[in-house]
Amino acid sequence: QEVHVTQSNPSSLCPCVCSCVSSQRDQKHRLSVCSKLCFAIGGAPYQITGSALGFFLQIYLLDVAQLDPFYASIILFVGRAWDAVTDPTVGFLVSRSPWTRYGRMLPWIVFSTPLAVLSYFLIWFVPPIEQGKVIWYLIFYCLFQTMQTCFHVPYSALTMFLSSDQKERDSATAYRMTVEVLGTLIGTAIQGQIVGGAIAPCISPPGMNVTEPSLTDLLNVSTSHVTLDHTKNAYMTASGVICGIYILCAIILFSGVKERRELVRPKSEPPMSFIQGLRLVMGHGPYAKLVMGFLFTSLAFMLLEGNFALFCSYTLGFRNNFQNILLVIMISATLMIPFWQWFLTKFGKKTAVYIGTTSVIPFMILLVCLESNLIMTFVVTFAAGVSVAAAFLLPWSMLPDVIDDFQLKNPGSRGHEAIFYSFYVFFTKFASGVSLGISTLSLNFAGYVTNGCSQPDAVHLTLRMLVSAAPIVLILLGLIIFIVYPINEVVRLNNRKELQKLRDSEQDSETDSSDSGNVV
């Protein structure tokens, strides 16, 4: 009789025993704070290197490596376009990789780190050759983007292998987003402050006298003994510090996070090709509209990011203070992330898109209308950072809503979350490569003078267009697309309820099947 009772249906056991078993199961799937922190720290390298490259690579190629703007535009476009292509490619390769004693995702992270660090360091090294500079930067920029993708794609997918508890995964993601926002601030601070202390004197164009005090103050011409070699060494020092942080974060991630093999589910469908994945995601209307809307608004902020250092250095005349202006933007954005998180939960995500994105327009207009007033520039850029925070947070907050909508409308098609994310990143990176290439090429047509104390009026006009007029047009186009975006708060809440019912019914079916097996 005792044996018979032990093998009976668990529902016949006393509630206390069931509660104890449930508590033990929850404890088993719960992640410690240490594990969440180690996982979150793994997201820092992507944001630190991304912010350094985004803000400083263009001005580095033009004024330190002293490349022709045409060749600099080729490097920026090809590097970003290559980065876009590698995302879905690496995603497919990771999904086909075998399980090892360390897991499926962590080996990708470990083996890609050394090459990523080496290639990143060599991006900021000026080779002692003139004819091969373009090839040098193309090779190492594309190599770094490839290795960075081999790190970041498995890291993003690692979330699904941390715990079977959705709340624990959401908590780990919240830790990650916090560290990534801090990563953008750290990258801007390290690169900007180290490089800002070693800005080489500019080159005065023929016929211009820069010895007059008023003109010297306006252009912020350095009177120190800093040379171009000092500036090159400063960029290498900053890259060395960032490389050290990259390696440290990878070690912490590998040491503190463990993949759980029991969470791997057998695939119900064969792996998709690139074209099949593209048809799947773009065939879902809400996803296509969301991606197109954010494509235009993201391009607006990317144009601002890529050209802002040049705009501050030459058009506003703050050659020795542009790194501090960039730091103010990122500090403001970091501080405003909690506000936008509260705002979108209080008033809805679609409302947050309109308010958060349009709020930057007055400051973009004011920025190009200002005279060279450093204090006012700090105030305006701090206010503009409020919208930068919204642009950082909202896409990643709204993509899960589209995936939920897809799952409800296609209950038999599962496991495509990575495809939705990878194609969003693909479109965004490819478009950013086009925008950066075109913007740098337009500076070439305007007559940009490499490391000059001043630029022609056509260059000043082009920079104003790139940081104000063009972004404003792109923002307005994106907001027009969001008008037809169908997932508002009512639809989103209804989808969440229906999806929860679907998951509960599936769990009940699994429980009934398990109970039947125990009875047998």
Side-chain angles (χ1 to χ4, degrees), residues 329-347:
I329 293 178
M330 298 315 301
I331 291 175
S332 173
T334 302
L335 295 175
M336 293 306 295
I337 286 287
F339 166 78
W340 285 115
Q341 184 65 44
W342 168 83
F343 188 94
L344 64 88
T345 56
K346 181 73 174 180
F347 300 101

Side-chain angles (χ1 to χ4, degrees), residues 3 24 62 65 138 186 224 232 296 332 451 471:
V3 174
Q24 291 175 352
L62 293 174
L138 272 176
I186 292 171
S224 67
K232 293 177 181 178
F296 284 106
S332 173
N451 204 28

Side-chain angles (χ1 to χ4, degrees), residues 12-318:
S12 63
L13 298 175
C14 67
C16 295
V17 175
C18 289
S19 176
C20 181
V21 172
S22 176
S23 177
Q24 291 175 352
R25 187 185 298 114
D26 293 340
Q27 187 68 28
K28 179 182 177 181
H29 298 327
R30 186 169 299 167
L31 294 172
S32 66
V33 173
C34 180
S35 296
K36 294 176 184 178
L37 284 174
C38 291
F39 170 72
I41 289 172
Y46 183 79
Q47 298 300 333
I48 292 174
T49 56
S51 62
L53 290 169
F55 280 120
F56 293 92
L57 183 59
Q58 185 186 46
I59 195 171
Y60 165 80
L61 293 175
L62 293 174
D63 287 356
V64 181
Q66 297 189 343
L67 295 179
D68 184 271
F70 174 75
Y71 295 117
S73 67
I74 292 177
I75 293 170
L76 293 171
F77 167 71
V78 173
R80 289 295 185 99
W82 176 258
D83 185 25
V85 172
T86 57
D87 273 286
T89 304
V90 172
F92 291 133
L93 292 176
V94 169
S95 65
R96 290 168 171 79
S97 59
W99 192 274
T100 69
R101 58 180 295 187
Y102 301 107
R104 176 184 293 170
M105 306 300 166
L106 289 175
W108 282 84
I109 294 171
V110 171
F111 289 116
S112 65
T113 295
L115 280 176
V117 168
L118 177 63
S119 56
Y120 180 81
F121 182 79
L122 293 177
I123 289 174
W124 304 102
F125 172 75
V126 181
I129 52 177
E130 290 297 327
Q131 300 299 323
K133 278 186 180 179
V134 176
I135 302 300
W136 174 280
Y137 290 115
L138 272 176
I139 290 175
F140 289 110
Y141 190 30
C142 291
L143 178 61
F144 170 72
Q145 298 289 16
T146 303
M147 293 299 103
Q148 177 78 308
T149 301
C150 290
F151 183 105
H152 191 66
V153 169
Y155 170 75
S156 299
L158 186 61
T159 309
M160 303 304 296
F161 299 94
L162 297 177
S163 174
S164 60
D165 190 343
Q166 180 65 41
K167 291 183 179 179
E168 290 299 306
R169 294 199 298 263
D170 290 343
S171 177
T173 301
Y175 276 76
R176 170 191 167 185
M177 293 301 296
T178 303
V179 172
E180 287 190 351
V181 172
L182 291 175
T184 60
L185 177 61
I186 292 171
T188 306
I190 291 174
Q191 189 85 4
Q193 296 307 307
I194 294 178
V195 170
I199 298 177
C202 56
I203 301 173
S204 175
M208 174 175 279
N209 180 15
V210 296
T211 59
E212 300 178 9
S214 60
L215 187 57
T216 301
D217 293 338
L218 177 63
L219 297 175
N220 288 309
V221 179
S222 175
T223 57
S224 67
H225 298 290
V226 176
T227 64
L228 183 60
D229 288 335
H230 288 96
T231 306
K232 293 177 181 178
N233 291 333
Y235 272 98
M236 291 181 63
T237 301
S239 67
V241 173
I242 290 177
C243 287
I245 296 175
Y246 196 118
I247 294 173
L248 179 62
C249 291
I251 292 175
I252 292 174
L253 175 64
F254 181 76
S255 303
V257 174
K258 181 180 179 182
E259 292 183 59
R260 298 182 54 193
R261 188 168 187 175
E262 65 269 20
L263 299 181
V264 180
R265 296 181 179 180
K267 299 179 180 179
S268 58
E269 300 176 5
M272 287 188 174
S273 66
F274 182 89
I275 301 299
Q276 289 174 327
L278 180 62
R279 289 175 180 174
L280 174 73
V281 297
M282 297 309 295
H284 188 57
Y287 178 80
K289 293 168 185 174
L290 183 73
V291 169
M292 292 302 296
F294 276 126
L295 189 62
F296 284 106
T297 57
S298 298
L299 279 178
F301 287 97
M302 288 175 187
L303 276 176
L304 180 64
E305 177 190 54
N307 296 280
F308 196 69
L310 290 173
F311 175 76
C312 291
S313 298
Y314 293 113
T315 304
L316 295 182
F318 302 131

Side-chain angles (χ1 to χ4, degrees), residues 408-444:
L408 277 176
K409 295 177 180 178
N410 302 272
S413 184
R414 301 181 182 180
H416 303 312
E417 292 85 356
I419 296 178
F420 280 92
Y421 280 96
S422 63
F423 273 101
Y424 170 75
V425 175
F426 167 78
F427 289 124
T428 304
K429 287 184 176 180
F430 187 83
S432 70
V434 173
S435 67
L436 281 177
I438 292 176
S439 64
T440 310
L441 193 60
S442 64
L443 292 174
N444 181 46

